[in-house]
Amino acid sequence: MAAKALLVLSLSLLILLNSFSSLTFASDDDEDLSFLEEEDDAVPSSDPDPYDHRDFENYDDLEDDEGSDSSGDHHGSSSYSIPAVDEKDVVVLKDSNFSEFIERNRYVMVEFYAPWCGHCQALAPEYAAAATELKGEGVVLAKVDATEETELAQKYEIQGFPTVYFFVDGVHRDYPGQRSKDGIVTWVKKKTGPGIYNLTTVGEAEQVLTAGSKVVLAFLDSLAGPQADKLAAASRLEDDLSFYQTASPEVAKLFHIDPQVKRPALVLLKKEAEMISHFDGQFTKSAIAQFVKENKLPLVTAFTREVAPVIFENPIKMQFLLFATSNDSENLLPAFQEAAKGFKGKLIFVYVEMDNEDYGKAVSEYFGVSGDAPRVVAYTGNDDSRKFVLDGDLTLRSIKSFAEDFLEDKLKPFYKSDPIPETNDGDVKIVVGNNFDEIVLDESKDVLLEIYAPWCGHCQALEPIYNKLGKHLRGIDSLVIAKMDGVTNEHPRATVQFYFFLMDFRPFFSSQLAIRALTRLITVDTDRTVVAFYKFLKKHASIPFKLQKPAETQKPKDSEDIQTQKSSGEDVKDEL
């Protein structure tokens, strides 16, 4: 009897140990996720064509997508047409002739473009004009349709349009300059020429003054020697200006330099309100370069599509923006320009015409400016993206004081926020700037947060997958699935980066996600499927959880198996 009891006890312990082992040591790989895989099959692919950059097109174009023709040549209304451009001097490159052409030509500028890209269309006439001007300089401008030559686009890691590279002896680098004919020509000549040009006659000088929108001229004792060497060294630090030198008093006079002045003398001329800037420092490379940096921009730069890269890619990152309608600007711009004089080289002063149909509304919304009332906003630049708003009347005194406080980092940042939702009990919680702390920074829960843009194609593709995930994880109290519109909401802890796409005046998104597990912020780097998200959360969540398989997906057990289990259970009971 004792032996029988010992046997029953041993069997019972073995059953308990096996049960404990299966509960404790089961791996994610053993978990039945077949029902989640079925969900993945039910949603569209979340990996859009990497060269389908509809995200970069205008809001109106996205709304009209259904009306587009089936050719795929454009995105937007059926009335859209690409303006004709004379590109006779732009070489068309394909995969079949690309390598040979680059090898045969020492200097080649190549634009990777998409036919439907609005920025490429805007660049086309400027690019063609630059090609014509440079064809006698031993420089060739070419273009590649990246939507057709996909292997070339992948080889050169083309991520957006247009992407422009400059090849020298087969080695390429990015073109960081302005998207204008003058900008391209000046930059290329800097990279291929001597850096500075001699002006010896009045005729040459008049031609430069007529053609150039922005030039630097040095009046030297000699066109060769230490002075010329310092000027040449400074010129190599500036890609978007042409540098000239002269020893002729007659030429100097045309450039508003007193012929009797002590040499060396230097002047920067612009076709702007502040036309002439005279250099009064020590004639050294660094001093000349600093002078040019501080004076090459207008006192106030009027925001347009063409000058957007000049503003946002400028070495001076900090910006000071006046938002005003065209009527209000007449009264406000004089004070804004006067204030700008004291901050040259430190801040870029920008005027945004709020009622401009091309860009006014979009730029204002990005910076959180609503209504028609004029506002001044200070911006730390794309890398930091902090914004500060001037409260009160816009006077010369208040603008200058605000700019000084901005430079000294004495201001409190402004963050955009949509209204907090009245109800927020969906499978996916809605996060806005003003409830970010309450939801995302709740340390009693793990939070998966998606920062998205409503018009982003990648975000739209992710939405059904993300909603399915939220539905399955709704019952897990320790876990929150949330999303935030990153266009209309901001928060200092929302560190997932997005980039202000210069020519669209809005961020470029690819549905950024991160999980906050207690105090850790972890960027989500996994396939965008329900199963992949679930496994990522299981791995990184600070509070363990287990997903229960929905009852409706569980298959009923065969009646014979149930009867067998009952009999087996009765036998064990009898044994015990």
Side-chain angles (χ1 to χ4, degrees):
M1 185 67 178
K4 183 177 181 181
L6 182 59
L7 178 61
V8 171
L9 180 59
S10 299
L11 289 172
S12 301
L13 287 172
L14 183 60
I15 292 171
L16 289 173
L17 286 172
N18 286 338
S19 300
F20 178 79
S21 176
S22 64
L23 288 173
T24 306
F25 301 107
S27 67
D28 287 343
D29 293 337
D30 296 331
E31 194 171 358
D32 180 10
L33 301 179
S34 58
F35 65 101
L36 291 182
E37 292 169 352
E38 291 170 3
E39 299 288 4
D40 284 333
D41 292 338
V43 295
S45 170
S46 61
D47 185 21
D49 180 353
Y51 300 108
D52 178 9
H53 288 257
R54 283 176 292 179
D55 296 353
F56 302 165
E57 295 302 300
N58 294 327
Y59 258 102
D60 295 339
D61 290 344
L62 289 171
E63 293 172 357
D64 294 337
D65 271 352
E66 293 180 0
S68 301
D69 65 26
S70 59
S71 67
D73 290 338
H74 69 273
H75 298 267
S77 65
S78 57
S79 62
Y80 174 82
S81 61
I82 300 175
V85 177
D86 183 3
E87 297 181 295
K88 63 180 183 300
D89 296 315
V90 178
V91 176
V92 176
L93 295 181
K94 300 178 179 293
D95 185 60
S96 58
N97 67 346
F98 188 91
S99 297
E100 180 185 356
F101 190 85
I102 295 297
E103 289 176 5
R104 277 196 292 113
N105 295 274
R106 184 178 185 190
Y107 300 116
V108 184
M109 179 170 278
V110 180
E111 176 203 2
F112 289 85
Y113 74 99
W116 45 257
C117 168
H119 315 314
C120 305
Q121 295 157 17
L123 175 61
E126 303 291 331
Y127 197 72
T132 298
E133 185 163 334
L134 289 168
K135 68 178 182 179
E137 306 282 341
V139 179
V140 182
L141 269 63
K143 65 177 185 177
V144 174
D145 184 344
T147 65
E148 294 290 335
E149 307 300 327
T150 55
E151 290 187 9
L152 274 178
Q154 291 173 1
K155 177 180 178 180
Y156 288 99
E157 300 179 345
I158 306 303
Q159 301 296 323
F161 303 115
T163 294
V164 182
Y165 288 147
F166 188 60
F167 288 78
V168 179
D169 294 328
V171 179
H172 73 279
R173 57 165 291 186
D174 290 332
Y175 167 66
Q178 300 177 34
R179 294 178 182 178
S180 66
K181 189 260 298 184
D182 289 342
I184 293 170
V185 170
T186 299
W187 189 89
V188 168
K189 286 185 175 180
K190 284 272 188 179
K191 301 305 175 187
T192 60
I196 55 174
Y197 302 90
N198 296 334
L199 293 181
T200 58
T201 68
V202 170
E204 291 173 347
E206 289 175 341
Q207 186 176 1
V208 167
L209 288 171
T210 301
S213 60
K214 196 181 304 179
V215 296
V216 175
L217 176 96
F219 183 32
L220 308 178
D221 293 316
S222 171
L223 300 183
Q227 294 176 351
D229 292 341
K230 292 174 184 177
L231 181 66
S235 75
R236 286 190 284 270
L237 301 177
E238 285 290 341
D239 287 337
D240 54 353
L241 277 87
S242 296
F243 281 64
Y244 298 89
Q245 61 181 7
T246 188
S248 166
E250 292 80 11
V251 171
K253 187 175 181 179
L254 281 178
F255 281 81
H256 304 276
I257 296 177
D258 182 355
Q260 305 303 318
V261 74
K262 182 181 178 180
R263 309 181 198 183
L266 185 137
V267 66
L268 190 156
L269 298 186
K270 308 187 296 280
K271 294 180 179 179
E272 307 286 352
E274 185 190 41
M275 293 181 59
I276 307 167
S277 299
H278 288 277
F279 176 69
D280 60 0
Q282 188 176 1
F283 204 83
T284 64
K285 178 186 76 171
S286 58
I288 295 170
Q290 184 65 25
F291 165 78
V292 173
K293 173 185 173 184
E294 292 177 358
N295 291 277
K296 66 180 180 178
L297 290 178
L299 285 173
V300 175
T301 301
F303 195 104
T304 66
R305 289 184 179 274
E306 290 71 29
V307 303
V310 177
I311 296 170
F312 290 99
E313 295 176 359
N314 198 284
I316 303 172
K317 299 300 181 185
M318 303 179 80
Q319 300 156 29
F320 212 67
L321 302 102
L322 169 64
F323 291 84
T325 63
S326 53
N327 289 335
D328 288 338
S329 65
E330 295 179 6
N331 297 323
L332 294 171
L333 270 175
F336 201 62
Q337 287 179 332
E338 184 63 28
K341 292 179 181 178
F343 298 94
K344 290 193 294 186
K346 300 175 183 177
L347 300 174
I348 299 178
F349 277 63
V350 182
Y351 162 54
V352 179
E353 188 179 281
M354 296 170 67
D355 51 349
N356 182 288
E357 294 181 358
D358 186 29
Y359 58 80
K361 181 180 178 181
V363 178
S364 300
E365 287 179 348
Y366 175 78
F367 283 96
V369 176
S370 58
D372 295 329
R375 304 290 290 273
V376 168
V377 176
Y379 181 56
T380 55
N382 285 342
D383 294 339
D384 190 7
S385 298
R386 288 184 299 152
K387 307 174 185 70
F388 309 84
V389 179
L390 171 58
D391 294 322
D393 295 334
L394 303 184
T395 64
L396 174 60
R397 183 175 181 179
S398 67
I399 293 171
K400 290 174 68 174
S401 177
F402 186 63
E404 290 167 357
D405 289 344
F406 175 50
L407 287 174
E408 295 175 11
D409 201 17
K410 293 181 178 180
L411 303 174
K412 182 179 180 181
F414 159 77
Y415 297 100
K416 297 182 291 186
S417 178
D418 287 330
I420 296 178
E422 293 183 7
T423 59
N424 201 4
D425 55 359
D427 298 332
V428 177
K429 304 300 180 188
I430 305 300
V431 174
V432 299
N434 290 338
N435 71 356
F436 190 98
D437 289 355
E438 175 188 348
I439 296 178
V440 180
L441 303 186
D442 180 355
E443 294 191 0
S444 68
K445 300 179 184 295
D446 292 313
V447 182
L448 178 68
L449 175 67
E450 176 201 10
I451 300 179
Y452 71 96
W455 38 257
C456 165
H458 300 278
C459 308
Q460 293 164 8
L462 176 64
E463 184 176 11
I465 299 169
Y466 205 64
N467 289 340
K468 294 284 187 182
L469 183 71
K471 176 184 176 182
H472 283 296
L473 300 179
R474 180 185 178 93
I476 299 174
D477 294 336
S478 64
L479 190 60
V480 174
I481 308 300
K483 65 179 182 180
M484 182 175 83
D485 184 337
V487 179
T488 55
N489 296 279
E490 299 171 322
H491 190 277
R493 292 289 297 275
T495 56
V496 181
Q497 290 185 336
F498 56 88
Y499 302 91
F500 190 68
F501 211 76
L502 299 182
M503 301 303 288
D504 276 328
F505 319 120
R506 63 186 189 208
F508 162 59
F509 279 79
S510 184
S511 49
Q512 308 288 350
L513 294 106
I515 175 175
R516 189 198 56 72
L518 293 182
T519 59
R520 296 177 299 145
L521 179 68
I522 305 166
T523 300
V524 175
D525 182 16
T526 188
D527 293 338
R528 298 193 172 189
T529 65
V530 179
V531 171
F533 280 135
Y534 172 70
K535 289 183 177 181
F536 189 92
L537 290 170
K538 285 280 286 184
K539 178 179 179 181
H540 293 285
S542 60
I543 305 171
F545 67 90
K546 186 173 180 64
L547 180 63
Q548 295 298 320
K549 187 174 181 180
E552 61 270 18
T553 66
Q554 294 179 1
K555 296 180 181 180
K557 295 182 180 295
D558 186 84
S559 58
E560 187 175 326
D561 292 340
I562 294 175
Q563 186 62 39
T564 301
Q565 284 189 3
K566 283 185 177 180
S567 301
S568 176
E570 290 172 358
D571 292 342
V572 172
K573 183 176 179 181
D574 288 344
E575 287 294 330
L576 289 173

